[in-house]
Amino acid sequence: MMVFNKVSVFIVLSLLLPLSCLAQTILSGKVTDSLQQPLPYTNVIAKPLDSLKKIQFSITDEKGMYLLELDKIPYAITVTHMGYTSYNFNVHPSKYTVRDIELKEQSEVLEEVVVELPVLVKQDTIVYAVDHFIKDDERKLKDVLKKLPGVEVFKDGSVTVQGKKITTMLVENKKFFGGGTKLAVDNIPADAVHQVEVIENYSEIPFLKNLTDSDETAMNIKLKENKKDFVFGDIEAGKGNQEFYNLHSNLFYYSPETAINAIGNVNNTAEKVFTYKQYLDFQTGLNRVFVRGSTTFDLPTEDFLQFMERNDVVQSDRKFGALNITKEVNDKLNISGYGIFSNTKEGALSQSINQYNTFTENKEVSSEIENMFALGDFTATYLPNITTQIYFKTKFKKSNNQYQNGISSLVDTTDNIFNTSENGKETFFNQVIEWHKKKSTEHTFSAAANYTFTERIPRSSWNTKDDILQGIIPIVDDSVYRIRQYKYLRNNNADFYFKHYWVLNKNNHIYSSLGNTYNQHYFFTDDSQLLSNGNSNNFKEANFGNDLHFNLNDLFLGVNYKFRTGIFTFDQGAFFHYYHWKLKQQEGLKQNRTALLPNFSVNAEFSRLKKLEFKYELKTAFKDVSNYADRYYLFSYNSVYIGNGTLKNELYHDLNLRYSKYSGYKGFRLYLTANYRKKTKGVVEAIDYSGINQSLSPIMLRNPERDWNLFGSVKKKIKKINYGVNVKYHNANYLQQVNGVIDENKRNNFTYKISAKTLLDSIPTIELGYEQNIGSYNLGGQKSKFITNQPYVNIDYDFWGGFIASFDYEFYKYKNKRLNQRNNYEIANASLYYRKDTSAWSFKVEANNLFNVRFKNQNSFSSYVISDTKTYILPRIVMFSIGYNL
């Protein structure tokens, strides 16, 4: 408690730091043209006459206003705007100074003058010249991006710019490992980056850019000239205490025709190189222009969730390799491909208190996981002329996974121990052919054929000396109960799309879509008991064992009309779907349904940096095939599942509101978003309890769920400090049937974070913050509340011309109010890095989990259980590394 109070007081005082102590002053004013009209997005650059000081800059807002925070030293001021003659003057500010500036239009260009501006805003592209923002203490791309105004980099490797998520990462206009951001921000050397371009409404097909309202935002990394036609990168090797090690390498080669990227990593420190989200995103090969209006068909993922890399483990051994090659064969043909291989072995230990509707379980799980997979991607782009583009895309994925754990389950005074294991194999293949043609100014066409094959084969076993699912499965008494399950899932999916873009005039467009999706699914299960005498007790006679064929065809037609008036752009339309599906299991079943799915959006662009967007869409989705299987199969050590062949498609309303505002003049950024989703017809799980054992089954209900998500972010620069406030709120109400009675469950989660970060050159960069998370859950009338308080500090300091010191600290105060449980722990990491400017060698000493914390606490909520979990982590790791920069 004492530590927490001290940290809290320290942070509050820091956030209220008196700004008058900073020896700075303000230079501000207005930039206009010769007619006294304001010139927005003009760069005002202040270059100190002392070359050791850092350049300062400002960008004028919509009213032409600028503001510079300057030291009390002489500066040379340069004011530049495209199409206007630059304006220059010197200033030695000692107090608040106002200087209005008038720019003259260029009458003629006598010679080419190249002036690199810190930030250049043009239409839907922002260009950052990174040399104006960095301090030469950056090692990777993520360190560069964190210093660019409006850019945020998160721990999972995702990147946002002014609140919008980067969906595609490019290097020299070429996709980097399929366009994901994590591998790029973690591996591209900082000293190779010259410019960062952010492109809104990004499209791979240039002539579709103004036709499709893409939510995609791309980031394009421009390299320095000395990094082209030249191999660059770095290699690092580290050795730590207790046999810990880390080997990492990045090699890059870029030329106008060829790009080669190679990444390798071997470590036993649980460094995360590849995420589960990246694994799932790999399965998307079709261009996003075809996604609108399509029906979602869930794929079962629960069998493979446990195999992916985890954040918190007690033992880890990870091997990762990736190779990306892009080649411009000629002016009409480009080919690219990448391969990724990963082999992960790790151990995990967790202890949890699980609150069900009718009982509470104390549970301990120790796990050993081995996950091996390989991904491959090949893309050929053919451009016979400037109005035609053809894509040929192939993806392949193969995985083989082993999972073993020991489960100790205590309910009241009954203690049960289970040993479980699972072997999972998966094969994935995807083939896409796309054709895009601009026939004329008025008419453009797109077509695509997409085929996907997925095969999953999980084999599971549960071994125990205790009672297992008594009364639910037809078990035979034995000294040891050995339960076996074989499961087989196969999916074939074929899609055909045709789109027509009709441009009536620049303010009125009509878009039409025609397509057909065919899904073929096969689901098979076999559950049995292996007896001590070698015989098998198959559960098939007790309504176990599924053999399901499920075929679904979706024929759809969509029309949208988009028009623009003033600052507003309206887009409205609808998709008509005709569904026909057929189930073949114990009895055959055929169904036909239609759905009319309207959509509407309006965008208000008050200025380039101030926008309001609203979207509404009625959506539909089908559950994964296992939900339709009408015979039982084992789901876990204490539950069985039986599907429902009469299920139909879900329907839900989806509304999104987003507002963003950015002002370089005021150093202000605001981003607000709200999402509301309500299911009018949806699938929920019906649960029947028999002691600790459960039978689960999906049922259809009307208005079963509504869900609110709110997020707000405000950032303000005052003097040389960036202040920030983030707020997240999630509220959900949903129905659930428990032992035949329908209950309404509620979930509320509120998180806020305040922070302050110094931007002074003469002192370390210090970020102080405080985050609080409050989660409250109501499950069948039983209420739980969790509170986590988390003050933190991050420090980065470069000194003595080559040293970089880093330190991050988080203090967790965790409380489970229902059980009156409390836990405090501190997570800290520190490192010292050294590299001489003229040397390719670098040295680093780092310590992770500095205070040797044993575990972390967290809470989670599913449809029928609230969990308070203690997860054990790796001990303190102290490592010395040597690196070599090519």
Side-chain angles (χ1 to χ4, degrees):
M1 180 67 72
M2 183 63 67
V3 174
F4 176 75
N5 289 336
K6 289 181 179 179
V7 173
S8 301
V9 172
F10 174 58
I11 289 176
V12 172
L13 292 177
S14 300
L15 296 178
L16 299 176
L17 179 69
L19 302 173
S20 58
C21 65
L22 301 175
Q24 290 187 313
T25 187
I26 301 295
L27 173 65
S28 68
K30 186 175 184 180
V31 180
T32 61
D33 61 14
S34 57
L35 299 178
Q36 302 305 305
Q37 295 299 312
L39 289 176
Y41 317 128
T42 299
N43 280 262
V44 183
I45 305 169
K47 183 177 182 180
L49 299 185
D50 181 353
S51 61
L52 298 179
K53 297 292 184 178
K54 189 177 179 181
I55 292 176
Q56 304 295 328
F57 81 97
S58 176
I59 302 175
T60 60
D61 63 6
E62 296 84 0
K63 298 179 181 179
M65 302 298 297
Y66 74 93
L67 183 147
L68 285 166
E69 298 170 357
L70 304 176
D71 295 328
K72 296 179 179 180
I73 60 173
Y75 288 88
I77 309 297
T78 301
V79 185
T80 58
H81 191 96
M82 292 184 65
Y84 291 82
T85 302
S86 298
Y87 186 87
N88 302 281
F89 65 94
N90 289 349
V91 65
H92 189 163
S94 59
K95 60 181 180 179
Y96 190 101
T97 304
V98 176
R99 179 76 176 262
D100 293 333
I101 299 162
E102 180 182 306
L103 297 185
K104 306 292 184 182
E105 290 190 29
Q106 290 178 333
S107 56
E108 57 180 309
V109 179
L110 300 178
E111 59 179 306
E112 183 180 5
V113 178
V114 178
V115 179
E116 185 173 70
L117 306 177
V119 180
L120 178 60
V121 181
K122 48 182 182 181
Q123 295 181 344
D124 56 3
T125 301
I126 303 174
V127 182
Y128 297 93
V130 300
D131 285 345
H132 293 281
F133 302 95
I134 62 178
K135 297 169 57 179
D136 294 328
D137 61 346
E138 303 81 14
R139 298 188 59 215
K140 299 297 181 182
L141 175 61
K142 61 184 176 183
D143 303 316
V144 174
L145 297 179
K146 289 176 182 179
K147 297 185 177 181
L148 304 183
V151 181
E152 290 187 272
V153 182
F154 299 92
K155 290 182 179 180
D156 63 356
S158 60
V159 181
T160 64
V161 180
Q162 296 174 16
K164 296 195 71 173
K165 185 175 181 179
I166 298 298
T167 58
T168 305
M169 181 65 75
L170 310 171
V171 178
E172 290 292 322
N173 303 305
K174 301 176 178 68
K175 278 189 177 181
F176 189 83
F177 285 99
T181 58
K182 179 173 173 55
L183 288 178
V185 300
D186 286 345
N187 293 280
I188 295 177
D191 61 2
V193 182
H194 173 56
Q195 288 182 336
V196 174
E197 295 180 342
V198 178
I199 309 164
E200 293 185 358
N201 300 317
Y202 171 74
S203 175
E204 290 183 72
I205 303 96
F207 52 80
L208 291 184
K209 185 173 178 62
N210 295 320
L211 299 178
T212 59
D213 290 326
S214 170
D215 286 331
E216 292 191 68
T217 301
M219 177 172 284
N220 184 32
I221 307 302
K222 292 288 189 178
L223 303 176
K224 295 177 180 177
E225 287 299 322
N226 63 350
K227 298 299 182 181
K228 299 177 184 178
D229 288 317
F230 183 77
V231 176
F232 65 95
D234 58 72
I235 302 172
E236 185 176 81
K239 180 66 178 68
N241 62 312
Q242 299 185 30
E243 303 303 320
F244 287 109
Y245 63 87
N246 192 339
L247 302 173
H248 190 85
S249 64
N250 311 298
L251 296 175
F252 306 94
Y253 172 78
Y254 283 88
S255 72
E257 296 82 21
T258 306
I260 302 174
N261 311 298
I263 299 171
N265 184 281
V266 179
N267 74 84
N268 62 356
T269 61
E271 179 181 342
K272 203 165 189 177
V273 183
F274 201 74
T275 66
Y276 180 68
K277 182 180 183 303
Q278 289 174 283
Y279 186 79
L280 291 181
D281 287 347
F282 174 83
Q283 299 181 169
T284 303
L286 198 65
N287 194 298
R288 284 186 172 92
V289 301
F290 298 107
V291 174
R292 187 176 189 179
S294 60
T295 300
T296 301
F297 200 108
D298 294 342
L299 289 175
T301 58
E302 68 277 358
D303 293 321
F304 289 84
L305 282 172
Q306 67 266 35
F307 296 125
M308 299 310 298
E309 293 181 353
R310 305 185 179 196
N311 290 322
D312 301 316
V313 294
V314 295
Q315 181 182 349
S316 178
D317 183 6
R318 296 176 177 177
K319 299 177 177 65
F320 178 87
L323 178 66
N324 184 194
I325 300 176
T326 302
K327 176 68 176 177
E328 185 177 320
V329 179
N330 53 49
D331 60 354
K332 294 184 178 180
L333 178 63
N334 294 327
I335 59 174
S336 65
Y338 65 87
I340 293 175
F341 173 80
S342 174
N343 186 2
T344 300
K345 299 178 182 178
E346 56 191 19
L349 175 63
S350 65
Q351 297 170 340
S352 59
I353 301 173
N354 299 322
Q355 178 188 337
Y356 293 86
N357 298 71
T358 57
F359 64 91
T360 299
E361 174 192 39
N362 287 274
K363 180 178 175 181
E364 179 175 295
V365 180
S366 59
S367 306
E368 293 183 3
I369 307 105
E370 180 175 2
N371 173 35
M372 182 170 62
F373 66 82
L375 313 177
D377 175 279
F378 173 80
T379 301
T381 306
Y382 180 59
L383 301 91
N385 52 62
I386 62 173
T387 61
T388 305
Q389 287 191 213
I390 300 173
Y391 290 89
F392 181 90
K393 305 177 183 179
T394 303
K395 292 178 181 286
F396 179 79
K397 177 173 64 179
K398 187 75 174 179
S399 65
N400 190 351
N401 313 289
Q402 304 282 341
Y403 176 81
Q404 292 184 340
N405 66 18
I407 301 173
S408 174
S409 172
L410 175 63
V411 178
D412 296 327
T413 59
T414 303
D415 191 2
N416 296 287
I417 297 176
F418 305 91
N419 292 313
T420 72
S421 65
E422 182 172 331
N423 172 266
K425 296 182 179 180
E426 180 183 20
T427 301
F428 170 88
F429 174 79
N430 174 251
Q431 180 65 62
V432 175
I433 299 176
E434 293 183 16
W435 170 81
H436 305 276
K437 175 70 175 179
K438 185 174 183 179
K439 187 68 175 177
S440 65
T441 305
E442 293 80 19
H443 299 284
T444 302
F445 303 93
S446 293
N450 175 52
Y451 170 72
T452 302
F453 170 81
T454 305
E455 181 183 67
R456 294 180 174 181
I457 309 176
R459 299 174 184 267
S460 305
S461 66
W462 295 268
N463 299 329
T464 182
K465 293 183 178 180
D466 301 311
D467 292 341
I468 178 171
L469 294 168
Q470 293 292 327
I472 295 181
I473 61 176
I475 198 166
V476 174
D477 288 338
D478 206 341
S479 57
V480 177
Y481 298 110
R482 301 176 180 89
I483 310 300
R484 303 290 183 263
Q485 181 185 76
Y486 171 78
K487 189 186 295 184
Y488 180 82
L489 302 96
R490 184 181 67 238
N491 303 315
N492 285 280
N493 179 78
D495 305 302
F496 300 94
Y497 300 91
F498 181 80
K499 295 181 72 71
H500 174 217
Y501 309 89
W502 184 10
V503 179
L504 303 176
N505 53 54
K506 68 176 184 179
N507 292 323
N508 293 269
H509 297 179
I510 295 177
Y511 306 145
S512 56
S513 302
L514 176 65
N516 190 84
T517 296
Y518 178 73
N519 292 280
Q520 183 186 74
H521 301 269
Y522 178 61
F523 180 70
F524 178 87
T525 62
D526 183 74
D527 301 279
S528 62
Q529 177 188 2
L530 180 63
L531 303 176
S532 298
N533 59 14
N535 294 332
S536 177
N537 169 33
N538 196 283
F539 300 161
K540 194 169 185 178
E541 297 301 321
N543 202 32
F544 279 75
N546 288 281
D547 190 354
L548 167 64
H549 294 264
F550 180 29
N551 299 332
L552 169 69
N553 194 79
D554 172 21
L555 177 65
F556 61 89
L557 173 67
V559 177
N560 268 72
Y561 171 55
K562 184 173 76 172
F563 68 93
R564 183 171 56 199
T565 175
I567 65 171
F568 297 99
T569 300
F570 295 88
D571 190 348
Q572 53 274 307
F575 278 79
F576 175 79
H577 291 261
Y578 173 73
Y579 300 108
H580 171 74
W581 68 89
K582 180 170 60 176
L583 283 80
K584 181 182 177 183
Q585 39 190 345
Q586 297 182 89
E587 296 181 359
L589 176 67
K590 295 182 180 180
Q591 295 204 50
N592 298 299
R593 288 182 68 84
T594 59
L596 184 63
L597 308 177
N599 60 77
F600 171 78
S601 70
V602 57
N603 295 342
E605 188 166 347
F606 304 101
S607 69
R608 172 64 182 76
L609 301 176
K610 183 180 179 182
K611 299 178 181 179
L612 178 66
E613 304 173 27
F614 172 77
K615 292 183 179 181
Y616 164 77
E617 190 172 358
L618 180 62
K619 296 183 177 181
T620 186
F622 284 84
K623 304 300 290 183
D624 73 77
V625 64
S626 63
N627 284 262
Y628 298 87
D630 62 359
R631 293 174 70 89
Y632 286 103
Y633 63 93
L634 290 164
F635 196 66
S636 72
Y637 71 96
N638 68 339
S639 62
V640 295
Y641 198 93
I642 184 171
N644 181 352
T646 64
L647 294 180
K648 298 178 177 61
N649 55 301
E650 297 183 306
L651 279 176
Y652 57 96
H653 301 281
D654 192 28
L655 296 90
N656 289 276
L657 181 67
R658 182 168 60 193
Y659 175 76
S660 61
K661 181 180 180 180
Y662 173 73
S663 173
Y665 163 67
K666 296 180 179 179
F668 177 79
R669 299 195 301 273
L670 172 64
Y671 178 73
L672 301 171
T673 182
N675 172 256
Y676 175 73
R677 175 175 293 189
K678 180 181 179 180
K679 287 187 178 181
T680 57
K681 291 189 295 183
V683 176
V684 301
E685 288 183 342
I687 304 172
D688 291 315
Y689 286 102
S690 176
I692 69 169
N693 301 317
Q694 310 152 31
S695 296
L696 309 174
S697 180
I699 59 174
M700 291 285 296
L701 292 178
R702 288 192 173 274
N703 301 314
E705 182 179 343
R706 67 152 184 82
D707 196 289
W708 276 101
N709 280 289
L710 305 174
F711 174 75
S713 175
V714 180
K715 300 207 171 189
K716 173 68 176 175
K717 179 183 176 184
I718 303 176
K719 296 287 187 178
K720 285 293 185 177
I721 299 180
N722 263 347
Y723 294 91
V725 177
N726 287 354
V727 177
K728 293 181 182 179
Y729 176 71
H730 177 223
N731 175 274
N733 287 37
Y734 67 94
L735 302 179
Q736 183 183 53
Q737 181 175 298
V738 180
N739 292 333
V741 178
I742 294 179
D743 291 325
E744 182 180 21
N745 299 327
K746 298 180 181 180
R747 172 174 51 193
N748 285 282
N749 192 276
F750 176 70
T751 302
Y752 69 89
K753 181 172 73 172
I754 57 176
S755 64
K757 184 177 182 179
T758 63
L759 302 173
L760 290 167
D761 297 332
S762 56
I763 66 171
T765 300
I766 303 173
E767 181 182 12
L768 298 166
Y770 180 84
E771 181 174 344
Q772 185 178 68
N773 178 273
I774 303 172
S776 59
Y777 311 108
N778 188 329
L779 182 65
Q782 298 193 52
K783 298 180 179 180
S784 293
K785 188 172 185 179
F786 304 89
I787 300 176
T788 302
N789 295 291
Q790 181 185 338
Y792 67 90
V793 58
N794 300 317
I795 301 174
D796 294 291
Y797 185 38
D798 63 309
F799 58 97
W800 292 350
F803 285 93
I804 303 172
S806 298
F807 175 77
D808 60 85
Y809 168 86
E810 296 176 338
F811 180 86
Y812 293 83
K813 183 179 181 181
Y814 178 85
K815 182 177 182 180
N816 182 330
K817 295 197 72 173
R818 177 176 179 269
L819 302 177
N820 197 28
Q821 291 185 338
R822 303 170 185 263
N823 183 34
N824 299 343
Y825 56 94
E826 300 166 276
I827 299 292
N829 306 295
S831 68
L832 179 63
Y833 174 86
Y834 173 73
R835 181 189 172 194
K836 192 175 181 180
D837 289 341
T838 57
S839 175
W841 293 94
S842 62
F843 307 90
K844 182 172 67 172
V845 178
E846 59 183 330
N848 294 323
N849 191 8
L850 200 59
F851 302 129
N852 205 26
V853 174
R854 295 179 58 222
F855 56 81
K856 297 179 179 179
N857 275 95
Q858 60 185 9
N859 61 84
S860 60
F861 183 87
S862 70
S863 58
Y864 55 89
V865 60
I866 302 171
S867 295
D868 183 345
T869 303
K870 181 187 294 183
T871 304
Y872 287 80
I873 63 176
L874 287 171
R876 180 192 299 118
I877 301 175
V878 180
M879 184 169 294
F880 174 73
S881 303
I882 299 177
Y884 184 79
N885 289 62
L886 299 176

